[in-house]
């Protein structure tokens, strides 16, 4: 059996949502991850993966959680990070470079100028996404890859 095809899924009852969780391996109790109730409304199995990024800003690295990054906006060789709390950070770093580093399941390019954190998408209508109070366009060349990341229930017909 291949290592990356094995997964242990533990489902907790709803009344235990406040319970802190530690995942350990073996007799020596090697800590694999620790989950505590945070401000993140969404916690998934991916919470055990890298969940923080250090961003260079004003001469120092500032730690951000991946959840804080709502979307990225390209502006030439600069990238603006739109963050929770209506904060912004401008980086002297191309969006293509940032996208190579950020985790792909969580961050998807939807337009030549936009990469979004899927955890912040409120809804999709036509060729646009609602994220917070902002509508962002889905570019024609990115639409299929974007749609392939999701399961749709309802009136959307599968491609023929």
């Amino acid at each position: 059996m291949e290592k990356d095809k094995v997964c242990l899924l533990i489902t907790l009852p709803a009344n235990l949502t406040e319970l802190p969780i530690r995942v350990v391996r073996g007799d020596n109790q090697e800590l694999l991850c620790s989950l505590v109730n945070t401000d993140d409304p969404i916690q998934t199995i991916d919470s055990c993966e890298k969940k923080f990024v250090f961003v260079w800003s004003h001469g120092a690295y500032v730690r951000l959680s991946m959840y804080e990054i709502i979307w990225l906006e390209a502006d030439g060789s600069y990238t603006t990070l739109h963050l929770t709390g209506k904060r912004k950070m401008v980086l002297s770093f191309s969006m293509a470079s940032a996208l190579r580093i950020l985790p792909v399941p969580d961050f998807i390019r939807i337009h030549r100028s936009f990469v979004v954190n899927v955890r912040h998408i409120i809804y999709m209508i036509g060729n646009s996404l609602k994220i917070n109070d902002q509508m962002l366009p889905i570019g024609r060349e990115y639409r299929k890859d974007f749609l392939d990341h999701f399961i749709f229930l309802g009136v959307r017909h599968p491609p023929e």
Side-chain angles (χ1 to χ4, degrees):
M1 200 177 325
E2 291 181 32
K3 181 181 176 183
D4 57 337
K5 293 194 179 197
V6 176
C7 177
L8 174 64
L9 177 63
I10 300 169
T11 305
L12 295 174
N15 64 338
L16 297 179
T17 57
E18 300 296 317
L19 184 69
I21 300 167
R22 289 181 58 228
V23 179
V24 296
R25 179 188 339 219
D27 295 335
N28 64 354
Q29 301 281 312
E30 172 194 358
L31 182 64
L32 298 177
C33 75
S34 180
L35 303 175
V36 292
N37 191 19
T38 65
D39 291 334
D40 285 0
I42 302 168
Q43 286 191 358
T44 67
I45 194 91
D46 295 334
S47 297
C48 297
E49 299 299 320
K50 292 180 182 174
K51 55 186 173 184
F52 295 99
V53 61
F54 281 95
V55 178
W56 184 257
S57 176
H58 304 297
Y61 283 103
V62 177
R63 186 188 76 150
L64 298 173
S65 82
M66 293 292 185
Y67 185 79
E68 287 180 89
I69 303 171
I70 300 171
W71 83 86
L72 291 77
E73 184 174 359
D75 185 14
S77 61
Y78 292 92
T79 300
T80 301
L81 300 180
H82 294 265
L83 307 169
T84 56
K86 299 194 183 276
R87 299 172 295 145
K88 292 182 184 179
M89 293 178 81
V90 178
L91 309 177
S92 178
F93 201 69
S94 74
M95 192 165 65
S97 297
L99 191 55
R100 282 193 295 273
I101 296 168
L102 293 170
V104 173
D106 293 332
F107 291 89
I108 301 173
R109 191 166 201 159
I110 62 163
H111 187 276
R112 65 186 170 99
S113 298
F114 300 108
V115 169
V116 299
N117 184 337
V118 297
R119 296 171 184 240
H120 290 282
I121 296 172
I122 297 170
Y123 63 78
M124 179 182 86
I125 185 166
N127 290 322
S128 298
L129 294 179
K130 171 89 172 185
I131 296 185
N132 283 357
D133 56 356
Q134 190 77 27
M135 293 297 289
L136 300 178
I138 302 171
R140 190 176 317 129
E141 59 271 16
Y142 301 97
R143 185 171 173 81
K144 182 185 179 324
D145 286 340
F146 171 76
L147 296 176
D148 287 346
H149 280 82
F150 300 95
I151 296 170
F152 289 85
L153 299 175
V155 297
R156 183 174 182 265
H157 300 287
E160 309 230 353

